[in-house]
Amino acid sequence: MPMDQVNTLTWKPNDEVVCQYDFPGRSRDDLPFRRGDLLVIVNPTSDPNWFRARNSNGVEGMIPANYVTLRRVVTLHAMPWFHGKISRGEAEQLLQPRQDGLFLVRESNNYPGDYTLCVCHEAKVEHYHILIQNNRLTIDEEVYFKSLDELVQHYTSNADGLCTRLIRPVKKAGDSFGTVSIQDFRSGGWVIARQDVELGELIGKGDFGDVYKGTYRGQPVAAKQLKDRERGGQSFLQEASVMTSLRHENLVKLIGVVLGETIFLVTEFMGKGSLVEYLRTRGRNVITKKDQINFATDTCSAMNYLESKSLVHRDLAARNVLVHDDGTAKVSDFGLAKFGDFSLSSQRFPIKWTAPESLRNNIFTNKSDMWSFGVLLWETYSFGRVPYPRIPLADVVMHVERGYRMEAPEGCPAEIYSIMKQAWEIRPEARPTFHEVLGRLDHLRSVTV
Ligand code: ADP
Ligand code: MG
């Protein structure tokens, strides 16, 4: 049954909603939809319970607000007390010394998908099952919360039926970027049902698992499977959480996540595969100057959008740009993406694409993405060659720091090579912004036949 009341005051044109029930429509003005459909709000009406919306075929009509959920951005929480999938025994080990109110939260082992709150009281540990009911969390089935954060805050201010109030968390070590809670994907309207996704052939292998071609309610999709939940869970969900905040025609669109036994990240299907493979397999005879400038401009347009949001991609390369059936290039692979400037040690980077200051000092900014964009331009105009041919990987950094730069690929327009050279300025400040480069590429695109 549809929800009685929804607060629709904040719903804006262009917001996305996901349908929770089938709606056949009652009059000709209505837009019929089925559970699982994605719609975009066109505008509110004088009645807060009805909105004008558009479906994926571009058809517009009226929809009842209580049949749909607004999609919200999933953000990272600082949840230092969340320890993920640890056992009951491990939790008890961590809760030392046994002071009243010392607590942590873990994923439930007996009830997959649920959580457990573990609290010390009188030298013992109590384990409270946190149930998920209708996208909300509860311990006593009396008080309900939207997030783990909210639940912890509540029981910190008041024991409210627990053995004690929560006083001090056992903090998880090495967790500086915050955690993503599965619950936020649920309440944010991003979870799609496993039975709505039909899996087809295997089309790729990722770091975290296999990528399948599939369909989601008839629409072609790619479904990336998380293989090892213990190991990759947080990074995988972090990639999905970054994607919930992004919407641009040159970024691969997140359709939703499947949660359960196996976790899938479901995105729009990019029929022509990765840009690097596309360039290599078609080559000079098929790919035109126009195609190349289109790929470059599309990619730059997405990067300009990320730059405007201070989001650093960190892994920009032709292998992480995908090509749609209609030829549009879209940036993907936000596995390493982070907001703001940051540094991080002990990670392995794709050396030939990574800026010198990132390799040396682990500093990643939109300017280091610009360096990678220069390499991507080189790949594009050399039809997918591996950068720095003939230089052994171990020597690349040394050569680059001494001032060596790749030559222009054969047939590369002078204006493009000049962008590459500026992207490879040793001083990050001397490199152009994506905004500037986009202007130049747009112009070049308009004069390329
Ligand atoms: P990871 O970065 O985790 O290693 P990717 O996201 O790069 O994994 O995916 C691996 C491969 O799967 C890609 O190189 C591409 O060939 C294929 N692939 C991934 N996403 C899509 C998609 N949306 N459409 C078509 N193919 C895809
Ligand atoms: Mg990849």
Side-chain angles (χ1 to χ4, degrees), residues 225-414:
Q225 181 181 15
L226 171 62
K227 214 180 244 152
D228 184 346
R229 199 171 165 150
E230 323 276 307
R231 221 164 44 82
Q234 276 299 320
S235 342
F236 199 78
L237 292 176
Q238 199 161 305
E239 170 165 10
S241 90
V242 168
M243 291 180 91
T244 63
S245 68
L246 305 173
R247 228 185 321 152
H248 187 274
E249 65 269 24
N250 298 111
L251 291 177
V252 172
K253 184 177 155 59
L254 178 69
I255 292 175
V257 290
V258 174
L259 302 175
E261 274 298 284
T262 336
I263 296 183
F264 290 95
L265 206 142
V266 180
T267 60
E268 66 176 310
F269 181 64
M270 303 291 288
K272 291 182 168 156
S274 85
L275 177 60
V276 71
E277 276 303 310
Y278 187 75
L279 293 163
R280 279 176 196 165
T281 52
R282 272 69 166 190
R284 282 175 200 276
N285 297 328
V286 175
I287 290 167
T288 62
K289 283 262 168 329
K290 189 83 187 170
D291 294 332
Q292 288 169 314
I293 189 69
N294 283 340
F295 293 147
T297 316
D298 286 351
T299 307
C300 190
S301 178
M303 296 309 295
N304 174 48
Y305 171 80
L306 297 187
E307 183 177 77
S308 75
K309 301 191 117 202
S310 297
L311 187 94
V312 182
H313 187 287
R314 306 209 310 173
D315 197 9
L316 182 63
R319 66 181 168 277
N320 287 333
V321 173
L322 301 173
V323 184
H324 194 265
D325 275 321
D326 69 8
T328 312
K330 304 194 188 198
V331 173
S332 81
D333 232 325
F334 297 90
L336 297 176
K338 298 279 180 330
F339 286 97
D341 298 356
F342 53 87
S343 52
L344 184 65
S345 56
S346 73
Q347 284 242 1
R348 293 178 60 78
F349 301 114
I351 290 182
K352 289 180 169 183
W353 283 262
T354 306
E357 74 276 9
S358 318
L359 291 171
R360 188 169 277 282
N361 303 317
N362 289 302
I363 295 171
F364 289 84
T365 62
N366 296 113
K367 298 292 191 184
S368 55
D369 276 352
M370 177 49 75
W371 177 286
S372 313
F373 182 71
V375 181
L376 183 143
L377 281 180
W378 189 92
E379 293 178 277
T380 305
Y381 283 85
S382 66
F383 299 91
R385 285 187 79 184
V386 176
Y388 305 97
R390 291 183 289 274
I391 302 182
L393 192 59
D395 298 345
V396 169
V397 184
M398 180 191 74
H399 279 82
V400 165
E401 292 206 325
R402 287 186 189 162
Y404 173 83
R405 296 293 183 271
M406 286 190 280
E407 282 168 23
E410 198 188 320
C412 174

Side-chain angles (χ1 to χ4, degrees), residues 34 41 57 69 82 93 135 142 204 238 273 293 359 383 387:
R34 291 177 53 208
I41 298 292
N57 297 321
T69 311
F82 183 65
Q93 288 271 306
N135 286 334
E142 280 175 26
Q238 199 161 305
I293 189 69
L359 291 171
F383 299 91

